[in-house]
Amino acid sequence: MVEFHVDRGSGYPPYLQIGQQVREALRLGWLQPGDRLPTVRDVVATSGVNANTVLKAYRELELAGLVEARQGSGTFVKASLGSAAPEDLDPLREGLAKWVAEARSAGLEDEDIYALVREVLSGGAQ
Amino acid sequence: MNLETTIWLTWRQHRWSVLGVAAIALAAAFALITAEVDQGFVRDSMPITGFYGLIVQLGFGALIGMFWGAPLLARELEDRTYFVAWGQDVTPVEWLRGKVLVLGVLAALLGAVVGAGDGYVGSSSSWSSFEADPLVQAGYAVLGLAVGVLVGLLTRHVVTAIAGTLVFFTLVRVLLAMSVRDYYFPPERVIARWENTPVVPERSLELPGGFVGQDLEPVPSRGDCVSAINESSCMRRANAAIGTYVDYQPIERLTAFRIIEFVLCLLLAAVVLWVAFRLLRNGGAWKPSRSHRRIGVPVAPVSGVAAGAVTDSAAEPAAGAVAVLVAEPEAELGPEPEPDAEPEPGLDPEPDAEPEPEPEPDPDPEPEPEPEPEFEPEPHPQPEPEPEAPDTAHKAPDTAADKADG
Amino acid sequence: MSVVAADVSKWAVRNVSFELPPGSVTAMVGANGSGKSTLLNVLAGHLPPSSGHASIAGRVAYVPQHKPMYRSFKVADVLQFGRRMNEVWDERRADEWLTRFKVPRRLQVEDLSGGQRTHVTLALALGSRPDVLLLDEPLAELDPLARHKVMRELLTEVNDNGMTLVFSTHVVAEIGGVADRLLLLSNGRLLVDGDTDELLEQHVLYTGPHASKSPVEGPVVLAKHGRSQSSYLVRSGGVRVDEPWTARYVTLEELVVAHLERAA
């Protein structure tokens, strides 16, 4: 069962934070199609966010085609995200860990690493 | 608020002052009664216990006012617990009515106890012990309570209210005793020619006298005689009068006067309480709490229109295309009330009822006279049943209103 | 609508209007003296507005700022008070609240800590099954852990009972994800009234080279100019921007501070 953490200080709207966390869980394989998302009441009771926020997050995920609400029984994961199977992820993760260690030893801080990753992802490296 | 709740709440909140005052009252009554037994009839010396009892008699109304009346509202206002008291389903008016009723009956009973016994003066059926009477003391106690409640509401501060009650109640009481009481009925008069002195019947209350002229009506004293050593012989020499007179109230009127004083106290108390209820209802600064719950439902359709207006205008800045100043929210809200004013033909059920919901429920359900019925029954043997009648009568409109919105 | 304020004026509060739907959670934010308590008092019916009107659909319960309560009452007496003084009373709900926060029933109110007294007043308020619950600085006397827990429990009550919740606070960091509606008051005026998520999505901070004009269209909330740099907080609705400008979303706190600075 996923548990959501909402960063109240963040400028990122809380309902998007929840949506993002569901997507992340899907990508990482923590949530599989057919899994049930926690009920709105559970999320409210455990993470102290407004029920409307949770509903909004679920609705957004539903619109994105990732989950579906089944009458009376809850919200269920419909599709998986991320094309890679979990077993394919492992070597990649290992490689990245090695790379991060290298970067650290080169004196890069986390912020520098994020910046580098972003730059590479956006194709901005020339 | 039913009687049981009223009694529970009054006892829970005021038990110490109730017990204290009751103890004083009982001790005073004991002192007065035993002092009387000791003596049998009037003597020059007075047992000290009877003297203390007399002091309690003099101050009992003020005592009630200071320790029951004054804190009743002032304590709530000072500690802000009126938010608690008046934030429940029981309305402030019901709340105050209940408390005043319970404490009023109790005060009247204790007053009667204090007034029992002949006191150190010897016999209660004499003008000099006019106030040593259950009825009179009950009247003072109720008046003291009423004065305390009003002063407490006005000052909103317990200590100030206690001091104010003492001053104000004493003033009223002294005024009653000194200038009002003697003339509840027009006095009787004895007239004597110069040779005699006017003599009032035994045990009468002697009032001021003067000179009478030919027609046996009082005449003013001549200017030059006022300063004379012997005013009478001066008047006689000047032939300005044919004799003297003295006014008096015969002893037979004593009981009637006591009843009149009692009723007068109750009327005064009723007026004072009427003012207090009035202020409480119109909210000096504290509007009765849940009263406007009652307008609940009619709001919905009208505000639905307004909500439409809001989301429309809110959509504009979201689009980002139009340059809307940030000060916009205020501007948006300005025109908003308009939909309120325009009765929408489609959603009309009660657009009329909507604009001023507050004044409506207020004046209607309980008109002013409520304070009086609480006290008038007291002279009669059974004080309880009557006050309940107005109670249930008041409840009816309330519950009806509640149903209307639920 | 569950709560309506139509052009309400009273003391410092001037011409405030808003409407809150049932089941919403609204945070009323503003500096001390901005009129939050006055406005709540008007909504709760304890103060008559000098103009305009306020109305609430259904039962209202109000917990004022200093959590007044009869000091001589025992906690159990408070429950009895609630039961006797209300036509609708949910003893279990009030009782559970006290149990949840471990408030001893036998103590007198005057012997309770500030936090415990808050719980007693909240229990009394919830026990009367309000449709609208108005709280003035409900968390002020609670420790950080309890604050979080109280908010969580209140939101659960909102979710379970469809209650409308309005609370005032000046700690903006507490309202993210909690309140879906923000009312920002300053000097008795309503500066901002909006859905918190929408507000967050609309406000973007653009930073770039010194410029006398905002790089995007939309109402500028606050502009700041450094020696070689300018930043604009714009209610742009999330419009993207070209190099060399950068854009980022702001936190609720930044948003509130910017609006207050602008109003000052």
Side-chain angles (χ1 to χ4, degrees):
Chain A
M1 178 75 55
V2 275
E3 218 175 84
F4 301 116
H5 294 280
V6 172
D7 179 1
R8 298 180 194 284
S10 160
Y12 201 49
Y15 81 98
L16 291 179
Q17 292 185 34
I18 292 177
Q20 193 186 39
Q21 284 166 31
V22 170
R23 282 189 170 85
E24 221 157 69
L26 287 171
R27 270 180 221 290
L28 296 173
W30 297 343
L31 279 176
Q32 299 285 345
D35 284 355
R36 207 184 82 169
L37 292 180
T39 64
V40 173
R41 193 185 187 282
D42 284 344
V43 180
V44 172
T46 54
S47 50
V49 291
N50 189 328
N52 292 334
T53 302
V54 186
L55 283 171
K56 210 161 155 186
Y58 284 8
R59 210 176 308 131
E60 188 259 341
L61 289 166
E62 205 178 344
L63 283 176
L66 296 175
V67 302
E68 64 178 343
R70 288 185 207 147
Q71 199 70 42
S73 52
T75 307
F76 293 84
V77 177
K78 201 165 87 180
S80 63
L81 262 183
S83 35
E87 52 272 24
D88 294 340
L89 279 175
D90 291 338
L92 285 170
R93 187 180 291 121
E94 268 167 43
L96 185 60
K98 208 182 287 167
W99 181 85
V100 168
E102 229 169 82
R104 286 234 171 88
S105 65
L108 268 70
E109 309 219 332
D110 284 5
E111 283 298 315
D112 304 321
I113 295 174
Y114 286 134
L116 211 57
V117 169
R118 265 201 300 272
E119 191 182 337
V120 172
L121 284 177
S122 63
Q126 283 151 0
Chain B
M1 193 151 86
N2 60 31
L3 191 64
E4 196 199 330
T5 293
T6 312
I7 292 173
W8 175 80
L9 187 63
T10 310
W11 176 249
R12 189 66 197 73
Q13 284 193 268
H14 310 288
R15 53 189 171 190
W16 297 119
S17 52
V18 166
L19 284 177
V21 170
I24 290 176
L26 293 174
F30 176 76
L32 286 164
I33 290 168
T34 53
E36 172 195 19
V37 168
D38 279 353
Q39 265 182 307
F41 48 90
V42 193
R43 281 185 206 279
D44 290 336
S45 68
M46 54 172 165
I48 199 73
T49 49
F51 175 68
Y52 285 131
L54 178 83
I55 289 184
V56 172
Q57 257 179 7
L58 284 175
F60 190 69
L63 199 69
I64 293 279
M66 289 182 338
F67 292 103
W68 291 9
L72 191 66
L73 288 169
R75 168 85 55 215
E76 305 279 346
L77 293 166
E78 189 179 332
D79 292 350
R80 303 185 207 213
T81 45
Y82 68 94
F83 282 118
V84 180
W86 305 340
Q88 316 301 321
D89 284 339
V90 170
T91 68
V93 168
E94 282 173 339
W95 178 91
L96 183 61
R97 197 196 310 134
K99 281 200 170 192
V100 166
L101 184 70
V102 169
L103 288 176
V105 169
L106 207 55
L109 290 177
L110 285 177
V113 168
V114 168
D118 288 346
Y120 90 96
V121 191
S123 164
S124 72
S125 57
S126 73
W127 286 106
S128 56
S129 52
F130 183 85
E131 290 168 5
D133 178 71
L135 220 45
V136 173
Q137 286 297 330
Y140 287 155
V142 171
L143 178 58
L145 182 73
V147 168
V149 167
L150 179 61
V151 174
L153 179 62
L154 294 175
T155 59
R156 320 187 64 178
H157 185 259
V158 177
V159 176
T160 318
I162 287 178
T165 303
L166 179 61
V167 170
F168 191 66
F169 179 76
T170 308
L171 274 180
V172 172
R173 202 174 175 303
V174 166
L175 199 74
L176 271 182
M178 287 182 62
S179 23
V180 183
R181 179 187 301 158
D182 294 347
Y183 299 99
Y184 288 152
F185 287 169
E188 302 280 312
R189 173 171 296 166
V190 281
I191 296 170
R193 292 198 172 266
W194 291 123
E195 303 77 44
N196 300 318
T197 328
V199 177
V200 300
E202 213 181 326
R203 296 168 67 211
S204 297
L205 175 66
E206 201 173 316
L207 299 174
F211 303 103
V212 287
Q214 290 292 343
D215 52 358
L216 299 184
E217 286 303 307
V219 291
S221 196
R222 276 170 54 114
D224 53 337
C225 286
V226 174
S227 51
I229 295 167
N230 189 330
E231 201 183 351
S232 299
S233 34
C234 168
M235 288 290 283
R236 190 174 181 179
R237 264 199 311 276
N239 260 336
I242 61 146
T244 53
Y245 77 92
V246 171
D247 284 346
Y248 69 97
Q249 301 285 6
I251 189 70
E252 292 75 31
R253 292 182 178 175
L254 182 63
T255 308
F257 271 42
R258 281 172 169 165
I259 292 172
I260 289 173
E261 183 134 328
F262 172 67
V263 171
L264 194 63
C265 282
L266 291 193
L267 288 178
L268 281 174
V271 170
V272 169
L273 285 176
W274 177 78
V275 174
F277 274 91
R278 206 50 221 227
L279 285 174
L280 187 72
R281 178 171 310 135
N282 297 347
W286 352 263
K287 173 77 182 164
S289 57
R290 282 181 176 172
S291 57
H292 70 271
R293 272 179 181 171
R294 290 168 196 167
I295 54 171
V297 173
V299 170
V302 181
S303 52
V305 178
V310 172
T311 43
D312 280 347
S313 48
E316 286 171 43
V322 194
V324 190
L325 286 177
V326 179
E328 197 35 55
E330 284 161 31
E332 272 173 31
L333 295 166
E336 216 177 288
E338 279 176 25
D340 269 28
E342 303 161 302
E344 276 279 315
L347 326 142
D348 67 306
E350 292 118 320
D352 296 1
E354 218 263 322
E356 303 154 290
E358 303 221 333
E360 279 180 12
D362 274 350
D364 287 345
E366 302 124 311
E368 279 53 56
E370 349 145 341
E372 286 132 83
E374 292 161 19
F375 294 108
E376 260 147 35
E378 282 158 23
H380 310 304
Q382 72 293 52
E384 244 82 321
E386 273 209 46
E388 268 172 7
D391 243 358
T392 47
H394 296 319
K395 261 171 206 154
D398 283 359
T399 45
D402 284 345
K403 270 174 203 155
D405 64 8
Chain C
M1 285 303 134
S2 184
V3 178
V4 177
D7 214 21
V8 167
S9 294
K10 178 74 183 180
W11 298 337
V13 173
R14 274 166 299 166
N15 305 101
V16 169
S17 303
F18 57 81
E19 302 186 338
L20 311 175
S24 60
V25 179
T26 303
M28 205 180 266
V29 178
N32 292 328
S34 57
K36 289 174 295 186
S37 295
T38 307
L39 194 54
L40 284 171
N41 269 327
V42 170
L43 289 178
H46 283 283
L47 280 178
S50 46
S51 71
H53 81 262
S55 58
I56 282 185
R59 300 164 61 74
V60 57
Y62 175 42
V63 177
Q65 194 170 6
H66 300 285
K67 320 288 172 293
M69 181 50 69
Y70 296 112
R71 278 173 299 187
S72 66
F73 276 31
K74 287 188 176 137
V75 174
D77 290 332
V78 176
L79 291 184
Q80 196 176 359
F81 176 86
R83 182 174 346 116
R84 287 176 174 279
M85 299 287 283
N86 288 288
E87 281 158 31
V88 181
W89 176 254
D90 190 338
E91 180 89 10
R92 214 171 54 111
R93 198 175 176 195
D95 201 63
E96 275 175 1
W97 189 276
L98 294 176
T99 308
R100 209 173 291 152
F101 292 97
K102 301 191 177 62
V103 180
R105 310 297 153 88
R106 305 202 123 199
L107 287 188
Q108 285 195 341
V109 169
E110 65 182 340
D111 297 327
L112 296 177
S113 70
Q116 286 172 326
R117 202 167 67 171
T118 302
H119 291 311
V120 172
T121 51
L122 281 173
L124 178 63
L126 286 168
S128 71
R129 282 211 156 275
D131 298 308
V132 177
L133 180 60
L134 305 172
L135 306 174
D136 198 355
E137 305 266 1
L139 309 175
E141 294 188 72
L142 300 173
D143 59 81
L145 192 67
R147 294 166 94 92
H148 197 73
K149 197 171 167 197
V150 166
M151 237 20 233
R152 222 164 53 203
E153 295 296 341
L154 283 174
L155 288 173
T156 311
E157 296 281 345
V158 169
N159 182 59
D160 293 355
N161 302 299
M163 190 172 71
T164 305
L165 177 65
V166 181
F167 66 99
S168 76
T169 177
H170 49 232
V171 188
V172 185
E174 266 163 10
I175 64 177
V178 170
D180 43 31
R181 182 74 169 263
L182 175 73
L183 296 175
L184 179 59
L185 283 167
S186 171
N187 289 322
R189 290 191 176 280
L190 192 59
L191 283 187
V192 175
D193 168 12
D195 181 295
T196 44
D197 288 335
E198 275 172 25
L199 287 171
L200 285 175
E201 285 167 305
Q202 285 166 9
H203 287 73
V204 181
L205 181 70
Y206 298 92
T207 313
H210 193 91
S212 57
K213 196 177 160 296
S214 159
V216 293
E217 283 191 62
V220 175
V221 178
L222 200 65
K224 280 192 175 159
H225 304 285
R227 184 166 295 231
S228 60
Q229 212 186 20
S230 289
S231 63
Y232 285 89
L233 180 61
V234 187
R235 206 167 179 173
S236 65
V239 176
R240 293 186 178 276
V241 74
D242 297 329
E243 294 271 335
W245 289 84
T246 59
R248 73 166 174 87
Y249 287 115
V250 293
T251 66
L252 263 184
E253 193 142 16
E254 288 173 303
L255 191 155
V256 163
V257 169
H259 277 280
L260 289 177
E261 266 182 56
R262 182 175 192 272

